[in-house]
Amino acid sequence: MSTDPLVVFTPSGKRGRFPAGTPVLTAARQLGVDLDSVCGGRGICSKCQVTPAYGEFSKHGVTVREGALSEWNAVEARYDSKRGLKPGRRLGCQAQILGDVVIDVPAESQVHRQIVRKSAAVRAIEMDPATRLHLVVVDEPDMHEPTGDLERVARALKAQWDVEDIAADPTLLAKLQPVLRKGGWQITVALHKSHKEAVPRILEVWPGLHEGGLYGLAIDLGSTTIAAHLTDLDTGEVKASSGIMNPQIRFGEDLMSRVSYAMMNENGAAEMTRAVREAIDALAVEIAREAEIDPALIVETVFVCNPVMHHLLLGIDPVELGQAPFALATSDSIAMDARDLGLCAINPRARSYILPCIAGHVGADAAAVALSEEPGKSEDLALIVDVGTNAEILLGDRSRVLACSSPTGPAFEGAQISSGQRAAPGAIEAIRIDPETKEPRFRVIGCDLWSDEDGFADAIAETGITGICGSGIIEAVAELRMAGIMDAGGLIGSAAQTGTARCFAEGRTHAYLVHDASAEGGPRIAVTQGDIRAIQLAKSALYAGARLLMDERGVDKVDRVVLAGAFGAHISPKHAMVLGMIPDVPLDKVTSAGNAAGTGARIALCNAGARAEIERTVRRITKVETAIEPRFQEHFVAANAIPHATDPFPELSRIVPLPQVSFNTGGGEDDGGRRRRRRRA
Ligand code: FES
């Protein structure tokens, strides 16, 4: 048996024997231990830090004595004096193995470290970025062996990093020569390896060791808002998040009106493409400024978006998406230069990756939700709903995943609601109505107190009470139903019928007054019959989409519901169920996944392998097209009732008895409701 020292790495548990004098980094590499290095063992990047452990380790069958590693050398001493090494740490490339030893690789020294997510229920992101830094020492030019600088960089990458072949954009050449000379023939290379390209490409070079970081943008391009997360490609840390309104709103609120704008106006699509690209470019500048980083250090962007946004971003006329059979120009993922998407503020050679679309109406945003929530790995049948202007719906478990998109419209975001507003300080976000007195109390964004608690008036003095946001209107409608002020058909009763003066006549219908500050020049906030109808249309579209997937799967119920989307995080599961937005499940089986599409974008940004994974997953998802499915209409009409005309809600009735009231007087309102329902068809 070999008498060479035994080295055991934790937490991987990998072990092996190496001749005395082997650097820890070399041993780690030979054993396939995940230990980082940018400088290739030159003792200057400090990425290879490890913590040796001494003493008796019966678990590993090892006793580690003093002297198991070589003494600190001059390189470590210099690094420690300049930058400081944490107590007990060594540089793996400098410390040599002299005796049996246990070496811990701390998380920050692992290339594939996991980013801890706040909720344990969601997958951790494992770092495996497509772009990485490599320090290389390049041969100087030689009269006797004429080669170009780029060829010598390629040779150095092969010799020092095992990189077989490289590509470089011609724009890089202009800076390569001065950088090589400035760095004394030692440069840091940002190398981008894409699973879609045979050869890695150099995106950027810096003289000497680059320590300024490397960043990427995960961009969730929605119809209403554009959200970006500036992410450190080394650590996965989100340095800044920022969002702006999608400027395409001026061409149409929802997707179909933007498709119509493209159809009706020459250059309409090009105009919208220009608007969104300029906005994203400006957002990149803004977010880099916020994080105080040079925008040129942003070398990657990942986009998730619905199919119409996808086409408009790429400069493709979305006209085909406005009519059956809703053909996408391509459903495949796309890898391209960011500058070809009009992103000029970031690194000129930055790459963009756009996740694949699932189908003509189910986009890369739904693919991102699938990447984040992994329904295909679920033991039980999960319904995942990403609520936005369009609802992305996924239903599945290990055996099969189905997906559809449903046109909910902007009502859930507070738009098309008489007192509606975006979620901002001053907006009513939660509301309760006493079933006895029919009096409301509410909470506004920016204040933790309820409106009937002491100190509320002072606490909201600055923001005021300005309107109702999406989660507030959902709660308001559900509370009206629970308090017997609104019937199952969605009709608000009169003051006489409901016994509260808060119900007031508005034309031929009634409205419920939530808050009246008109005497002081403030707003009069009410829930009108029109608001109820808008919410009914939105929730019916959502429920009908879910039911359609359940039909396709041959089930009447699901095991759990995941509410995704920034908005999904704020919806109260109980109120969503009273409204009949989601199928009946025990309340503790309704969870929130936060911004799952944005998380999917971050996963794809931080982990190159996840890109290939989602491309495979998308091919296996069964697409269901709501727009051409006749049963969608049936489900939609039945879902108009609150919670539902025919589907039983046994779990809901166990916890919330809904009053049996009816305010239908056979008047014109129902006709209006019907007309609106027909319009959706
Ligand atoms: S590998 Fe760079 S300091 Fe050790």
Side-chain angles (χ1 to χ4, degrees):
M1 199 180 96
S2 164
T3 53
D4 285 339
L6 175 70
V7 52
V8 180
F9 285 97
T10 59
S12 65
K14 289 184 174 160
R15 52 164 61 208
R17 289 189 181 274
F18 294 87
T22 307
V24 172
L25 179 65
T26 307
R29 286 201 167 152
Q30 287 182 18
L31 289 173
V33 171
D34 187 16
L35 180 56
D36 202 0
S37 162
V38 166
C39 73
R42 292 185 175 82
I44 49 177
C45 72
S46 83
K47 295 282 183 186
C48 61
Q49 291 184 33
V50 293
T51 312
Y54 296 89
E56 202 48 64
F57 295 90
S58 51
K59 182 173 154 209
H60 303 301
V62 181
T63 301
V64 185
R65 302 181 205 290
E66 288 298 321
L69 291 184
S70 57
E71 292 282 313
W72 268 50
N73 67 12
V75 174
E76 288 173 296
R78 193 180 61 226
Y79 186 87
D80 188 40
S81 70
K82 281 195 174 164
R83 304 280 182 82
L85 270 174
K86 281 189 191 159
R89 289 277 176 90
R90 301 289 305 267
L91 292 181
C93 62
Q94 301 302 313
Q96 295 171 357
I97 299 161
L98 300 179
D100 293 354
V101 67
V102 174
I103 302 272
D104 183 56
V105 181
E108 63 266 33
S109 299
Q110 297 170 15
V111 181
H112 299 103
R113 64 184 145 240
Q114 295 210 332
I115 306 165
V116 180
R117 304 268 308 272
K118 282 190 193 113
S119 160
V122 289
R123 73 182 273 180
I125 300 178
E126 186 187 295
M127 289 307 293
D128 185 14
T131 309
R132 288 204 187 142
L133 296 175
H134 299 281
L135 183 87
V136 281
V137 176
V138 181
D139 290 339
E140 293 188 33
D142 183 343
M143 284 277 284
H144 303 292
E145 194 212 338
T147 45
D149 282 347
L150 182 64
E151 289 69 42
R152 268 175 283 107
V153 169
R155 205 162 68 193
L157 278 165
K158 182 163 170 22
Q160 294 160 38
W161 291 98
D162 247 350
V163 176
E164 269 304 324
D165 211 354
I166 52 151
D169 191 279
T171 60
L172 185 87
L173 298 175
K175 69 184 302 191
L176 180 63
Q177 295 209 311
V179 164
L180 274 168
R181 280 140 187 96
K182 188 170 174 203
W185 304 97
Q186 182 166 285
I187 62 171
T188 305
V189 170
L191 199 65
H192 177 79
K193 291 186 195 165
S194 163
H195 67 295
K196 291 181 83 86
E197 292 170 324
V199 175
R201 62 168 78 201
I202 300 180
L203 299 184
E204 192 51 278
V205 288
W206 295 269
L209 179 70
H210 170 68
E211 295 184 284
L214 208 54
Y215 300 91
L217 280 176
I219 301 172
D220 183 1
L221 170 56
S223 342
T224 312
T225 52
I226 307 171
H229 305 287
L230 179 68
T231 308
D232 184 322
L233 290 180
D234 181 32
T235 63
E237 184 192 346
V238 176
K239 299 301 244 184
S241 293
S242 193
I244 47 168
M245 297 301 288
N246 187 331
Q248 292 176 341
I249 286 178
R250 68 174 182 270
F251 305 102
E253 278 265 337
D254 55 30
L255 293 176
M256 280 310 127
S257 47
R258 276 177 229 173
V259 174
S260 318
Y261 185 84
M263 283 174 169
M264 315 289 287
N265 297 278
E266 202 184 336
N267 294 327
E271 229 179 311
M272 287 188 278
T273 296
R274 194 168 45 248
V276 79
R277 286 179 173 185
E278 282 172 5
I280 295 167
D281 207 30
L283 179 61
V285 174
E286 166 63 27
I287 199 166
R289 193 190 52 71
E290 204 179 298
E292 297 179 347
I293 68 142
D294 177 359
L297 293 173
I298 301 173
V299 293
E300 283 204 67
T301 63
V302 165
F303 284 92
V304 301
C305 42
N306 62 53
V308 175
M309 291 301 104
H310 175 273
H311 277 39
L312 287 172
L313 172 68
L314 285 162
I316 304 167
D317 193 323
V319 60
E320 292 302 327
L321 300 174
Q323 58 204 15
F326 312 106
L328 288 156
T330 177
S331 58
D332 261 354
S333 66
I334 293 173
M336 62 191 292
D337 283 327
R339 63 175 180 238
D340 291 338
L341 290 173
L343 283 160
C344 307
I346 60 175
N347 190 287
R349 288 164 297 280
R351 297 290 290 167
S352 283
Y353 176 78
I354 307 173
L355 268 75
C357 288
I358 297 178
H361 268 171
V362 192
D365 44 2
V369 172
L371 183 57
S372 161
E373 294 310 305
E374 301 183 301
K377 293 183 184 167
S378 175
E379 293 293 341
D380 50 6
L381 188 61
L383 179 76
I384 301 161
V385 179
D386 191 350
V387 185
T389 312
N390 251 7
E392 269 39 81
I393 309 170
L394 295 154
L395 174 73
D397 58 14
R398 298 177 80 94
S399 66
R400 192 176 167 214
V401 178
L402 304 105
C404 75
S405 168
S406 206
T408 43
F412 286 151
E413 294 177 330
Q416 291 176 359
I417 300 296
S418 60
S419 298
Q421 69 158 89
R422 300 212 172 277
I428 295 176
E429 60 169 343
I431 181 164
R432 299 288 176 271
I433 299 175
D434 187 310
E436 297 301 321
T437 64
K438 319 285 187 202
E439 281 299 294
R441 59 193 190 99
F442 51 82
R443 240 182 24 219
V444 300
I445 296 177
C447 172
D448 288 336
L449 298 173
W450 285 88
S451 58
D452 59 350
E453 286 181 295
D454 287 345
F456 177 78
D458 291 341
I460 56 118
E462 208 156 287
T463 62
I465 302 165
T466 48
I468 309 183
C469 68
S471 61
I473 191 69
I474 285 175
E475 293 203 1
V477 178
E479 288 282 330
L480 287 172
R481 177 79 181 91
M482 287 189 279
I485 298 167
M486 181 192 78
D487 66 16
L491 284 180
I492 299 176
S494 65
Q497 285 167 321
T498 59
T500 172
R502 285 190 174 269
C503 289
F504 63 94
E506 210 191 37
R508 297 164 68 186
T509 61
H510 296 99
Y512 175 83
L513 184 65
V514 177
H515 173 72
D516 188 1
S518 53
E520 303 97 57
R524 193 161 189 263
I525 298 170
V527 180
T528 68
Q529 194 61 64
D531 298 341
I532 307 264
R533 289 299 181 214
I535 289 295
Q536 274 178 299
L537 292 180
K539 78 100 180 175
S540 303
L542 180 53
Y543 189 83
R547 275 303 316 202
L548 207 54
L549 296 187
M550 289 158 72
D551 284 358
E552 204 66 33
R553 179 68 197 244
V555 296
D556 277 332
K557 59 192 217 40
V558 300
D559 296 321
R560 62 187 177 97
V561 174
V562 180
L563 296 172
F567 167 65
H570 301 288
I571 301 177
S572 136
K574 180 173 121 182
H575 292 89
M577 205 159 334
V578 169
L579 208 57
M581 276 175 75
I582 50 174
D584 186 71
V585 289
L587 275 189
D588 61 355
K589 293 287 181 188
V590 184
T591 53
S592 164
N595 182 1
T599 303
R602 277 182 55 215
I603 294 172
L605 179 64
C606 294
N607 188 309
R611 301 179 191 180
E613 178 192 325
I614 192 57
E615 288 163 19
R616 283 192 302 273
T617 304
V618 157
R619 279 184 222 119
R620 290 198 304 267
I621 293 179
T622 308
K623 299 92 186 165
V624 177
E625 186 52 76
T626 53
I628 52 165
E629 180 56 67
R631 276 170 309 158
F632 180 83
Q633 191 55 21
E634 283 165 37
H635 286 313
F636 180 81
V637 172
N640 244 244
I642 296 172
H644 197 273
T646 48
D647 284 358
F649 274 66
E651 293 290 344
L652 176 65
S653 14
R654 253 195 286 284
I655 47 166
V656 187
L658 295 176
Q660 299 297 313
V661 290
S662 172
F663 305 123
N664 193 348
T665 52
E669 168 53 30
D670 255 2
D671 293 334
R674 270 188 226 114
R675 270 201 304 281
R676 274 183 282 272
R677 287 197 289 273
R678 273 203 299 275
R679 199 179 59 205
R680 162 60 184 78

